[in-house]
Amino acid sequence: MKKFVNDPKQYVPEMLKGIALANPDKLRYVPEYNLIMRADGPNPNKVSIIQGSGSGHEPAHVMTVGRGMLDAACPGDVFAAPPMDYVYETTKLMASPKGVLLLVNNYTGDRMAFEMAQEMSAAEGINVKTLFIDDDVAVQDSTYTVGRRGVAGNFFVMKAVGAASEAGADLDELIRIGEKVDSVTRTMGIALTSCTPPAKGSPLFEIGDDEIEVGVGIHGEPGRRRAKLTTADEMTDELLDAVVGDLPYRAGDRVALMINGLGGTPISELYILYGRAHEQLRQRGIEVGRSYVGEYCTSLDMAGASLTLVKLDDEIERLLEAPAEIAARVF
Amino acid sequence: MKKFVNDPKQYVPEMLKGIALANPDKLRYVPEYNLIMRADGPNPNKVSIIQGSGSGHEPAHVMTVGRGMLDAACPGDVFAAPPMDYVYETTKLMASPKGVLLLVNNYTGDRMAFEMAQEMSAAEGINVKTLFIDDDVAVQDSTYTVGRRGVAGNFFVMKAVGAASEAGADLDELIRIGEKVDSVTRTMGIALTSCTPPAKGSPLFEIGDDEIEVGVGIHGEPGRRRAKLTTADEMTDELLDAVVGDLPYRAGDRVALMINGLGGTPISELYILYGRAHEQLRQRGIEVGRSYVGEYCTSLDMAGASLTLVKLDDEIERLLEAPAEIAARVF
Amino acid sequence: MISSSVSITAFVVHSIAQTAVDKEREFGDLDAVVGDGDFGFSLARGFEIVLQEWDALDRSTPSVFLQKVALVIAGRIGGTSGPIWGTAFLRAAAAVKDKEQLTGADVVAMLRAAIEGIKMRGKADLGDKTLLDALVPATDALEAELIAGTDAQRALERAAVVARASADATTSMQARRGRASYTGERSIGSPDPGAVAVAVILERLAAEWSLS
Amino acid sequence: MISSSVSITAFVVHSIAQTAVDKEREFGDLDAVVGDGDFGFSLARGFEIVLQEWDALDRSTPSVFLQKVALVIAGRIGGTSGPIWGTAFLRAAAAVKDKEQLTGADVVAMLRAAIEGIKMRGKADLGDKTLLDALVPATDALEAELIAGTDAQRALERAAVVARASADATTSMQARRGRASYTGERSIGSPDPGAVAVAVILERLAAEWSLS
Ligand SMILES: Nc1ncnc2c1ncn2[C@@H]1O[C@H](COP(=O)(O)OP(=O)(O)O)[C@@H](O)[C@H]1O
Ligand SMILES: Nc1ncnc2c1ncn2[C@@H]1O[C@H](COP(=O)(O)OP(=O)(O)O)[C@@H](O)[C@H]1O
Ligand SMILES: [Mg+2]
Ligand SMILES: [Mg+2]
Ligand SMILES: [Mg+2]
Ligand SMILES: [Mg+2]
């Protein structure tokens, strides 16, 4: 395993400590609950927004805490939903008179932990609601499954509700906005390699030198199918077809286009994918209003990328445009 | 080769096209010279700042063009200094009455191309000066070598002169500032894996499963020594010792600390290194005034990281603090 | 031989906890096939805490003891396993509330309550390719043996054998709950990690019981 | 046999260009050992353009022709090789300015001028482990053969043999210029890519000369 690791069990706590040290004025780390919170939170004049999930997806979500996005993030261990206690304690700590919004990617473990924590917090009189994000078109919904997975599209939900809450929106309004953004957000990813969880110390799955996993999950879960490695253009087109095909689009529609790196793919390659996707959208008469290229929701060191489209309207575009200040920053 | 590539010869042009498409209002791409420039440039009221180098180091430098940083970037092919023509044409295109500053990482090929282009541009009456960046402490300077290499520390030079030029500083003042920042900036890197140049299609060098390259260059050049993979803490300490030991530091000194990912290392690991480095500096009585964690100057898909320290004074800190707007952005 | 029901309960929990810690890698690797590889890590980290806090856990009654264990598990194990296993232990505790001594019938009642809890929490049922597909047949076997008057050791051994066969049989099932369900037909061909864990736990328990 | 000096010059340049394009991978791999692997790519991309623009290149005199080639190389090849090879071609052109027919002595003068240009541009000298360490001894050999009255074919063959031996001999040198110099003693043990390229070019030229 070629990683910068000390004790794999300390992987997450050491990362969180680093985040807090790098942002001493802005962020606070509460080791007992893996909690990263705004140093000035909770703010009684705004709804507190909390996202939790397994770790290994950084910058999501521990590096997206800050003005205009999350008030706190409460991560579990690598690829493991946070224990219910952590969510519960985080909710109590961040409780605001305006309420608490829990953002949860749609996975069984995450749903359970957050639903149980919500019940317990509500019992203590905290006004808390939960919003599930499920943007992945790779796995089809059916009565037998637990619904679609939440992947990189969660960035847009976070960003939109973050901006709205900063502007004073109440909890119901945030739920409305978050559900709306989620409903127009679609993502699909491709893995070129596996990732290596630090505690496992070896790749999570086997994949041939000429193979890709189409529709891979951000925890290295298998996707739609194994296919042969092909050109950047062909892979982009496959992702785009799947994502565009999942919502009714009309010529003249405006979208946000995100090419998200899964961790091991350099940004130069992401821009190659971006260029192709942008041009193909243009050919379909769809206009890119906002663009996002980089790492937003990763799968440790996996080489690969996902493509997200958000169908824009004026309200969503305005919320996405609003400024924010988070740990994942350049300057 | 597990990459998103079409034709390897089109790797750089396709990336540049993607950057321009993703930033239509801000950036312009001139295919003839691999040129990425500010759409509103050249600005007659400010010195134009241009950086060139081989590609494969993104976001450096094609994604750091924008208000407060570069006015243009002029990259060569992967790991190859740009041809002299490109530099010359870029200089002519960006010529401002206030002059042109060429930022060059100290490598033989880059020096030659920029020196020749500078001569030719000067002959045409353009006021142009060149500043070499050489922050890498891994390779010792000697009469037999061409001096130290320029690596991730170039970010700080770009940022400082970018901010100063935006505030109206003239060319000599920018040279003074750039030289000052370069003189207090020190970097060293460690590679865990090789990188794979797209045209080569296989790893640039062999490295064992339990080996690291200490002091690696950003083009995959060998560094000080091959060593055994060890803990994140020990690797951080080795980098820190080398970097701190190369400038006289006193208790109470303030620094900017950068942990730069080389391309294949996830940001979670970078924060583990950051946390250790920050704490070790504190133990030495050195205070971290500004922190930078992420990818600033990569080596394609290489797993690894570099550590940079900049000794701060009020002037440098103010320039680093100033806002900037570049393609490498989150929102 | 264990002298009271609290001690027996503690012995069983200790065996389960030790299995979770010792089999971390094996359970993780099973979860890596169509899951995300964290099952072993999650269980081990949670049961590690149970073992760390072992001496301090309230032992007034079997029920109280199990409840304390359940709180550690539900509160500190991440992933799907935290809520699932925590609920199982909580329901088992509730099933024998206030009892000092437990009979064979009590043990079966605890397991049935745990099963109901898992079904409720996971919105899962038999045949969904989860730990239920080992736990339910093993409980059935245990109950049948106890009703037939078999001694505890034999009954446990029989339950372990059934659990193992049932866990093996999950290989041909398609997952309809949890992360593995996303993969649809590709979940066929490997056993469910949770079901295998139930088998491994029962096997070890049966082996240790004779030595206790 | 070639009929005029411009044609001979064009024949030589074409051979060099074709070698650069054909040997892209080999040259790149050599540069990957202690360099950055782009040497083959850079040369190939530049000489590819020379070949693309082949018919349009001004052929008034050998000097004019070489100057046009030099401009493409210096302007379009990246890395260290662009300025180095471009300067070499430019200086060779200048050495025979206005001449229509070139003698053996002219050819040696062109090579000497190219060598001086490389030394100036690269602040390099013999023994620094660069292409100079093959180019200089090969030029010496060529000159000696021509003075001794050997025919062009034999003289070229001899120069190629010397270039190859000299390129091989760079293996034991420590690089003092260019990217390889950063590695200090670790540059010992592999030949210099630029020097090997000189040998490969001369070998092919010698082979093709007899067929021309
Ligand atoms: N909805 C569910 N109900 C009951 N058990 C489940 C459910 N989903 C998963 N499981 C069990 O949990 C195991 C996986 O646990 P774990 O790895 O902790 O979950 P995660 O998928 O969150 O990583 C599966 O092998 C299965 O036995
Ligand atoms: N300073 C120099 N002077 C002359 N030749 C040089 C110099 N530096 C390098 N070379 C030659 O250039 C070759 C490498 O070329 P190239 O790969 O294009 O350079 P870069 O190091 O910029 O990638 C070396 O093998 C050597 O022969
Ligand atoms: Mg998990
Ligand atoms: Mg190079
Ligand atoms: Mg799992
Ligand atoms: Mg090179």
Side-chain angles (χ1 to χ4, degrees), chain B residues 9 77-81 83-86 106-109 112-113 116 139 143-147 149 199-200 204 213 219 221-226, chain D residues 25 29 32-38 41-42 45 48 74-80 83-84 87 121-123 176-179 181-183 186:
Chain B
K9 293 182 199 171
D77 269 304
V78 171
F79 294 171
M84 183 202 62
D85 258 19
Y86 291 17
N106 188 42
Y107 297 95
T108 304
M112 288 177 185
M116 288 165 75
V139 291
T143 43
Y144 292 127
T145 69
V146 293
R149 303 178 291 207
K200 181 164 162 60
L204 192 51
E213 179 72 31
H219 309 86
E221 313 101 301
R224 285 189 175 181
R225 64 188 183 93
R226 254 324 137 85
Chain D
R25 183 152 301 269
D29 288 349
V33 183
V34 286
D36 59 349
D38 63 336
F41 188 88
S42 292
R45 291 298 81 71
E48 226 165 47
R76 304 299 291 276
I77 296 188
T80 300
I84 290 286
T87 302
R121 177 67 59 210
K123 305 190 179 66
R176 293 193 298 203
R177 282 291 172 265
R179 195 179 302 280
S181 68
Y182 298 126
T183 65
R186 292 171 69 181

Coordinates of all heavy atoms in Angstrom, one line a residue, chain B residues 9 77-81 83-86 106-109 112-113 116 139 143-147 149 199-200 204 213 219 221-226, chain D residues 25 29 32-38 41-42 45 48 74-80 83-84 87 121-123 176-179 181-183 186:
Chain B
K9 N -0.8 12.8 -28.5 CA -0.2 14.1 -29.0 C -1.2 15.3 -28.8 O -0.8 16.4 -28.8 CB 0.0 13.9 -30.5 CG 1.1 13.0 -30.9 CD 1.3 12.9 -32.4 CE 2.1 11.6 -32.7 NZ 2.1 11.4 -34.2
D77 N 4.7 20.8 -24.2 CA 4.1 19.5 -24.1 C 4.4 18.9 -22.7 O 5.1 19.5 -21.9 CB 4.7 18.6 -25.2 CG 3.8 18.7 -26.5 OD1 2.6 18.4 -26.3 OD2 4.3 19.0 -27.6
V78 N 4.0 17.7 -22.5 CA 4.2 17.1 -21.2 C 5.7 17.1 -20.8 O 6.5 16.4 -21.6 CB 3.6 15.7 -21.1 CG1 4.0 15.0 -19.8 CG2 2.0 15.8 -21.2
F79 N 6.1 17.7 -19.8 CA 7.5 17.7 -19.3 C 8.5 18.4 -20.2 O 9.7 18.2 -20.0 CB 7.9 16.3 -18.9 CG 7.2 15.8 -17.7 CD1 7.4 14.4 -17.3 CD2 6.3 16.5 -17.0 CE1 6.7 13.9 -16.3 CE2 5.6 16.0 -15.9 CZ 5.8 14.6 -15.5
A80 N 8.0 19.0 -21.3 CA 8.9 19.7 -22.2 C 8.7 21.2 -22.2 O 7.6 21.7 -22.3 CB 8.7 19.2 -23.6
A81 N 9.8 21.9 -21.9 CA 9.7 23.4 -21.9 C 9.0 23.8 -23.2 O 9.2 23.2 -24.3 CB 11.1 24.0 -21.8
P83 N 8.4 25.5 -26.7 CA 9.3 26.0 -27.8 C 9.4 27.5 -27.7 O 8.5 28.2 -27.3 CB 8.6 25.6 -29.1 CG 7.6 24.5 -28.7 CD 7.2 24.8 -27.3
M84 N 10.6 28.0 -28.1 CA 10.9 29.4 -28.0 C 9.9 30.2 -28.7 O 9.5 31.3 -28.3 CB 12.3 29.6 -28.6 CG 12.8 31.0 -28.6 SD 14.0 31.1 -29.9 CE 13.1 30.8 -31.4
D85 N 9.4 29.8 -29.9 CA 8.4 30.5 -30.7 C 7.2 30.8 -29.9 O 6.6 31.9 -30.0 CB 7.9 29.6 -31.8 CG 8.6 30.1 -33.2 OD1 9.6 30.8 -33.1 OD2 8.0 29.7 -34.2
Y86 N 6.7 29.8 -29.1 CA 5.5 30.0 -28.3 C 5.7 31.1 -27.3 O 4.8 31.9 -27.1 CB 5.1 28.7 -27.6 CG 4.7 27.6 -28.5 CD1 4.9 27.6 -29.9 CD2 4.0 26.5 -27.9 CE1 4.5 26.5 -30.7 CE2 3.5 25.4 -28.7 CZ 3.8 25.4 -30.1 OH 3.4 24.4 -30.8
N106 N 13.6 27.0 -12.9 CA 15.0 26.9 -13.3 C 15.3 25.5 -13.8 O 15.8 24.6 -13.1 CB 15.9 27.3 -12.1 CG 17.3 27.3 -12.5 OD1 17.6 27.9 -13.6 ND2 18.2 26.8 -11.7
Y107 N 15.1 25.3 -15.1 CA 15.5 24.1 -15.8 C 16.2 24.6 -17.1 O 15.8 25.6 -17.7 CB 14.3 23.2 -16.2 CG 13.6 22.7 -15.0 CD1 12.5 23.4 -14.5 CD2 14.1 21.6 -14.3 CE1 11.8 22.9 -13.4 CE2 13.4 21.1 -13.2 CZ 12.3 21.8 -12.7 OH 11.6 21.3 -11.6
T108 N 17.2 23.8 -17.6 CA 17.9 24.2 -18.7 C 17.1 24.6 -19.9 O 17.2 25.6 -20.5 CB 18.8 23.0 -19.1 OG1 19.7 22.7 -18.0 CG2 19.7 23.4 -20.3
G109 N 16.1 23.7 -20.3 CA 15.3 23.9 -21.4 C 14.5 25.2 -21.3 O 14.3 26.0 -22.2
M112 N 16.6 28.4 -21.5 CA 17.0 28.7 -22.9 C 15.9 29.3 -23.7 O 16.0 30.3 -24.4 CB 17.5 27.4 -23.6 CG 18.8 26.9 -23.1 SD 19.1 25.3 -24.0 CE 20.6 24.8 -23.2
A113 N 14.7 28.6 -23.6 CA 13.6 29.1 -24.4 C 13.2 30.5 -24.0 O 12.9 31.4 -24.9 CB 12.4 28.2 -24.3
M116 N 16.0 33.1 -25.0 CA 16.0 33.4 -26.4 C 14.8 34.3 -26.8 O 14.9 35.3 -27.5 CB 16.0 32.1 -27.2 CG 17.3 31.4 -27.2 SD 17.3 29.7 -27.8 CE 17.1 29.9 -29.5
V139 N 18.1 18.9 -4.7 CA 19.4 18.8 -5.4 C 20.2 20.0 -5.0 O 19.8 21.1 -5.0 CB 19.1 18.8 -6.9 CG1 18.5 17.5 -7.3 CG2 18.3 19.9 -7.4
T143 N 29.0 24.0 -8.8 CA 29.4 24.6 -10.1 C 29.2 23.7 -11.2 O 29.1 24.2 -12.4 CB 31.0 24.9 -10.0 OG1 31.6 23.7 -9.4 CG2 31.3 26.1 -9.2
Y144 N 29.0 22.5 -11.0 CA 28.7 21.5 -12.1 C 27.3 21.4 -12.5 O 27.0 20.8 -13.5 CB 29.2 20.1 -11.7 CG 30.7 20.1 -11.5 CD1 31.3 19.6 -10.4 CD2 31.5 20.5 -12.6 CE1 32.7 19.6 -10.3 CE2 32.9 20.5 -12.4 CZ 33.5 20.1 -11.3 OH 34.8 20.0 -11.2
T145 N 26.4 21.9 -11.7 CA 25.0 21.7 -12.1 C 24.4 23.1 -12.5 O 25.1 24.1 -12.5 CB 24.1 21.1 -11.0 OG1 24.0 22.1 -10.0 CG2 24.7 19.9 -10.4
V146 N 23.2 23.1 -12.9 CA 22.5 24.3 -13.4 C 21.7 25.0 -12.3 O 20.9 25.8 -12.6 CB 21.6 24.0 -14.6 CG1 22.5 23.5 -15.7 CG2 20.6 22.9 -14.2
G147 N 22.0 24.6 -11.1 CA 21.3 25.3 -10.0 C 20.1 24.5 -9.6 O 19.8 23.5 -10.2
R149 N 16.2 23.3 -8.8 CA 15.0 23.3 -9.7 C 13.9 24.1 -9.1 O 13.9 24.4 -7.9 CB 14.5 21.8 -9.7 CG 15.6 20.8 -10.2 CD 15.0 19.4 -10.2 NE 14.8 18.9 -8.9 CZ 14.9 17.6 -8.6 NH1 15.1 16.7 -9.5 NH2 14.7 17.2 -7.4
A199 N 2.3 10.0 -23.6 CA 3.0 9.6 -24.8 C 3.9 8.4 -24.6 O 4.1 7.6 -25.5 CB 3.8 10.7 -25.4
K200 N 4.4 8.2 -23.4 CA 5.2 7.0 -23.1 C 4.3 5.8 -22.8 O 4.6 4.7 -23.2 CB 6.1 7.3 -21.9 CG 7.0 6.2 -21.5 CD 8.1 6.7 -20.6 CE 8.8 5.5 -19.8 NZ 9.4 4.5 -20.7
L204 N 7.3 6.2 -15.8 CA 8.6 6.9 -16.2 C 9.8 6.2 -15.5 O 10.8 6.1 -16.0 CB 8.5 8.3 -15.7 CG 9.6 9.3 -16.2 CD1 9.8 9.2 -17.7 CD2 9.2 10.7 -15.9
E213 N 11.0 7.6 -3.4 CA 12.1 8.4 -3.9 C 12.1 9.8 -3.2 O 11.1 10.6 -3.3 CB 11.9 8.7 -5.4 CG 13.0 9.5 -6.1 CD 14.3 8.8 -6.2 OE1 14.3 7.5 -6.3 OE2 15.3 9.5 -6.1
H219 N 9.3 16.3 -12.6 CA 9.2 15.6 -13.9 C 9.6 14.1 -13.7 O 10.0 13.5 -14.7 CB 10.2 16.2 -14.9 CG 10.0 17.7 -15.0 ND1 10.7 18.6 -14.2 CD2 9.3 18.4 -15.9 CE1 10.3 19.8 -14.5 NE2 9.5 19.8 -15.5
E221 N 12.2 13.2 -12.2 CA 13.6 13.0 -12.1 C 13.9 12.4 -10.7 O 13.3 12.8 -9.7 CB 14.4 14.3 -12.2 CG 14.0 15.2 -13.3 CD 13.1 16.3 -12.8 OE1 12.0 16.0 -12.3 OE2 13.5 17.5 -13.0
P222 N 15.0 11.6 -10.7 CA 15.4 11.0 -9.4 C 15.7 12.2 -8.4 O 16.1 13.3 -8.9 CB 16.6 10.2 -9.7 CG 16.5 9.9 -11.2 CD 15.8 11.0 -11.8
G223 N 15.7 11.9 -7.1 CA 16.0 12.9 -6.1 C 17.3 12.6 -5.4 O 18.3 12.2 -6.0
R224 N 17.2 12.7 -4.1 CA 18.4 12.5 -3.3 C 18.7 11.0 -3.1 O 19.9 10.6 -3.1 CB 18.2 13.0 -1.8 CG 18.3 14.5 -1.8 CD 18.3 14.9 -0.3 NE 18.4 16.4 -0.2 CZ 18.5 17.0 0.9 NH1 18.3 16.4 2.1 NH2 18.6 18.3 0.9
R225 N 17.7 10.2 -2.9 CA 18.0 8.8 -2.6 C 16.7 8.0 -2.7 O 15.6 8.5 -2.5 CB 18.6 8.6 -1.2 CG 17.7 9.1 -0.1 CD 18.4 9.1 1.2 NE 17.5 9.4 2.3 CZ 16.8 8.6 3.1 NH1 17.0 7.3 2.9 NH2 16.0 9.0 4.0
R226 N 16.9 6.7 -2.9 CA 15.8 5.7 -2.7 C 15.7 5.3 -1.3 O 16.8 5.1 -0.7 CB 16.1 4.5 -3.5 CG 15.5 4.1 -4.8 CD 14.0 4.5 -4.9 NE 13.7 5.1 -6.2 CZ 13.4 4.4 -7.3 NH1 13.4 3.1 -7.2 NH2 13.2 5.0 -8.4
Chain D
R25 N 10.2 6.4 -29.6 CA 10.0 5.6 -28.3 C 11.4 5.3 -27.7 O 11.6 5.5 -26.5 CB 9.2 4.4 -28.6 CG 9.0 3.5 -27.3 CD 7.7 2.7 -27.5 NE 6.6 3.6 -27.7 CZ 5.8 4.1 -26.7 NH1 6.1 3.7 -25.5 NH2 4.8 4.9 -27.0
D29 N 12.6 6.5 -24.1 CA 12.9 5.6 -23.0 C 14.3 5.8 -22.4 O 14.5 5.7 -21.2 CB 12.8 4.1 -23.5 CG 11.4 3.7 -23.7 OD1 10.5 4.4 -23.3 OD2 11.1 2.6 -24.3
A32 N 14.1 8.5 -20.0 CA 13.3 8.2 -18.8 C 14.2 7.7 -17.7 O 13.8 7.7 -16.5 CB 12.3 7.2 -19.1
V33 N 15.4 7.3 -18.0 CA 16.3 6.7 -17.0 C 16.7 7.7 -15.9 O 16.4 7.5 -14.7 CB 17.5 6.0 -17.6 CG1 18.4 5.3 -16.5 CG2 17.1 5.0 -18.7
V34 N 17.4 8.7 -16.2 CA 17.6 9.8 -15.2 C 17.1 11.1 -15.7 O 17.3 12.1 -15.0 CB 19.1 10.0 -14.9 CG1 19.6 8.8 -14.0 CG2 20.0 10.1 -16.2
G35 N 16.3 11.2 -16.8 CA 15.7 12.4 -17.2 C 14.2 12.4 -17.0 O 13.7 11.7 -16.1
D36 N 13.5 13.0 -17.9 CA 12.0 13.1 -17.8 C 11.3 12.5 -18.9 O 10.1 12.7 -19.1 CB 11.6 14.6 -17.6 CG 12.0 15.4 -18.7 OD1 12.8 14.9 -19.6 OD2 11.6 16.6 -18.8
G37 N 12.0 11.8 -19.8 CA 11.3 10.9 -20.8 C 10.7 11.6 -22.0 O 10.1 11.0 -22.8
D38 N 11.0 12.9 -22.1 CA 10.3 13.6 -23.3 C 11.2 13.8 -24.5 O 10.8 14.4 -25.5 CB 9.8 15.0 -22.8 CG 11.0 15.9 -22.3 OD1 12.0 15.3 -22.0 OD2 10.8 17.1 -22.4
F41 N 9.8 12.4 -27.7 CA 8.6 13.1 -28.1 C 8.9 14.4 -28.7 O 8.4 14.8 -29.8 CB 7.7 13.2 -26.9 CG 6.3 13.7 -27.2 CD1 5.3 12.9 -27.5 CD2 6.0 15.1 -27.1 CE1 4.0 13.4 -27.8 CE2 4.8 15.6 -27.3 CZ 3.7 14.7 -27.7
S42 N 9.8 15.2 -28.0 CA 10.1 16.5 -28.5 C 10.8 16.5 -29.9 O 10.3 17.2 -30.8 CB 11.1 17.2 -27.5 OG 10.4 17.4 -26.3
R45 N 8.2 15.4 -32.6 CA 7.2 16.4 -32.9 C 7.8 17.5 -33.8 O 7.1 18.0 -34.7 CB 6.5 17.0 -31.7 CG 5.7 16.1 -30.8 CD 4.4 15.5 -31.5 NE 4.7 14.4 -32.4 CZ 5.0 13.2 -31.9 NH1 5.1 12.9 -30.6 NH2 5.2 12.2 -32.8
E48 N 8.8 16.1 -37.3 CA 7.6 15.8 -38.0 C 7.1 17.0 -38.8 O 6.7 16.9 -39.9 CB 6.5 15.5 -36.9 CG 5.6 14.3 -37.2 CD 4.8 13.9 -35.9 OE1 4.3 14.9 -35.3 OE2 4.9 12.8 -35.5
A74 N 14.1 25.2 -33.8 CA 14.2 26.1 -32.6 C 12.9 26.6 -32.2 O 12.7 26.8 -31.0 CB 15.2 27.3 -33.0
G75 N 12.0 26.8 -33.1 CA 10.7 27.4 -32.7 C 9.7 26.4 -32.3 O 8.8 26.8 -31.5
R76 N 9.8 25.2 -32.7 CA 8.7 24.2 -32.5 C 9.1 23.0 -31.6 O 8.2 22.4 -31.1 CB 8.1 23.8 -33.8 CG 7.7 24.9 -34.7 CD 6.6 25.8 -34.0 NE 5.4 25.0 -33.9 CZ 4.5 24.9 -34.9 NH1 4.7 25.5 -36.1 NH2 3.4 24.1 -34.8
I77 N 10.4 22.8 -31.4 CA 10.7 21.7 -30.5 C 10.8 22.2 -29.1 O 11.4 23.3 -28.9 CB 12.1 21.0 -30.9 CG1 12.0 20.4 -32.3 CG2 12.5 20.0 -29.8 CD1 13.2 19.5 -32.6
G78 N 10.2 21.5 -28.2 CA 10.2 22.0 -26.8 C 11.4 21.4 -26.0 O 12.2 20.7 -26.6
G79 N 11.4 21.6 -24.8 CA 12.5 21.1 -23.9 C 13.8 21.7 -24.2 O 13.9 22.7 -24.9
T80 N 14.9 21.1 -23.7 CA 16.2 21.6 -24.0 C 16.6 21.4 -25.4 O 17.4 22.1 -26.0 CB 17.2 20.8 -23.1 OG1 16.9 21.0 -21.7 CG2 18.6 21.3 -23.3
P83 N 16.1 24.5 -28.3 CA 17.2 25.5 -28.4 C 18.5 24.9 -28.9 O 19.3 25.5 -29.7 CB 17.3 26.1 -27.0 CG 15.9 25.9 -26.4 CD 15.4 24.6 -27.0
I84 N 18.9 23.7 -28.3 CA 20.2 23.1 -28.6 C 20.3 22.7 -30.1 O 21.2 23.0 -30.8 CB 20.3 21.8 -27.7 CG1 20.6 22.2 -26.3 CG2 21.5 20.9 -28.2 CD1 21.9 22.8 -26.0
T87 N 19.9 25.8 -32.5 CA 21.2 26.5 -32.6 C 22.2 25.8 -33.4 O 22.9 26.4 -34.3 CB 21.7 26.7 -31.1 OG1 20.8 27.4 -30.4 CG2 23.0 27.6 -31.2
R121 N 25.2 27.7 -26.3 CA 23.8 27.7 -25.9 C 23.6 26.9 -24.6 O 22.9 27.4 -23.7 CB 22.9 27.1 -27.0 CG 21.4 27.0 -26.6 CD 20.7 28.3 -26.5 NE 20.8 29.1 -27.7 CZ 20.8 30.5 -27.7 NH1 20.7 31.1 -26.5 NH2 20.8 31.2 -28.8
G122 N 24.3 25.8 -24.5 CA 24.1 24.9 -23.3 C 25.1 25.2 -22.2 O 25.1 24.5 -21.2
K123 N 26.0 26.2 -22.4 CA 27.1 26.4 -21.4 C 27.7 25.0 -21.1 O 28.0 24.7 -19.9 CB 26.6 27.1 -20.1 CG 25.9 28.4 -20.4 CD 25.6 29.2 -19.1 CE 24.9 30.5 -19.4 NZ 23.5 30.3 -20.0
R176 N 26.9 16.7 -15.9 CA 27.1 18.0 -15.3 C 26.3 19.1 -16.0 O 26.4 20.3 -15.6 CB 28.6 18.3 -15.4 CG 29.4 17.4 -14.5 CD 30.8 17.8 -14.3 NE 31.6 17.9 -15.6 CZ 32.9 17.8 -15.7 NH1 33.6 17.7 -14.6 NH2 33.5 17.9 -16.9
R177 N 25.5 18.8 -16.9 CA 24.6 19.7 -17.5 C 23.3 19.1 -17.8 O 23.1 17.8 -17.8 CB 25.2 20.2 -18.9 CG 26.3 21.2 -18.8 CD 25.8 22.5 -18.3 NE 26.8 23.5 -18.0 CZ 27.4 23.7 -16.8 NH1 26.9 22.9 -15.8 NH2 28.3 24.6 -16.6
G178 N 22.2 19.9 -17.9 CA 20.9 19.4 -18.2 C 20.3 18.7 -17.0 O 20.8 18.7 -15.9
R179 N 19.1 18.2 -17.2 CA 18.3 17.6 -16.2 C 19.0 16.5 -15.4 O 18.8 16.3 -14.2 CB 17.0 17.1 -16.7 CG 15.9 16.9 -15.7 CD 14.6 16.4 -16.4 NE 14.1 17.4 -17.4 CZ 13.5 18.5 -17.1 NH1 13.2 18.7 -15.8 NH2 13.1 19.3 -18.0
S181 N 21.9 16.1 -14.6 CA 22.9 16.6 -13.6 C 22.4 16.7 -12.2 O 23.1 16.6 -11.3 CB 23.5 17.9 -14.1 OG 22.6 18.9 -13.9
Y182 N 21.0 16.9 -12.1 CA 20.5 17.0 -10.8 C 20.7 15.7 -10.0 O 20.7 15.7 -8.7 CB 18.9 17.2 -10.8 CG 18.6 18.5 -11.5 CD1 17.7 18.5 -12.6 CD2 19.1 19.7 -11.1 CE1 17.3 19.6 -13.2 CE2 18.7 20.9 -11.7 CZ 17.8 20.8 -12.8 OH 17.4 22.0 -13.4
T183 N 20.8 14.6 -10.7 CA 20.9 13.3 -10.0 C 22.3 13.0 -9.5 O 22.5 11.9 -8.9 CB 20.4 12.2 -10.9 OG1 21.3 12.0 -12.0 CG2 19.0 12.5 -11.4
R186 N 24.0 9.4 -9.5 CA 23.1 8.4 -10.0 C 22.9 8.5 -11.5 O 22.3 7.7 -12.1 CB 21.7 8.6 -9.3 CG 21.8 8.2 -7.9 CD 20.5 8.6 -7.1 NE 19.4 7.7 -7.5 CZ 18.2 7.9 -7.0 NH1 18.0 8.8 -6.1 NH2 17.2 7.1 -7.5

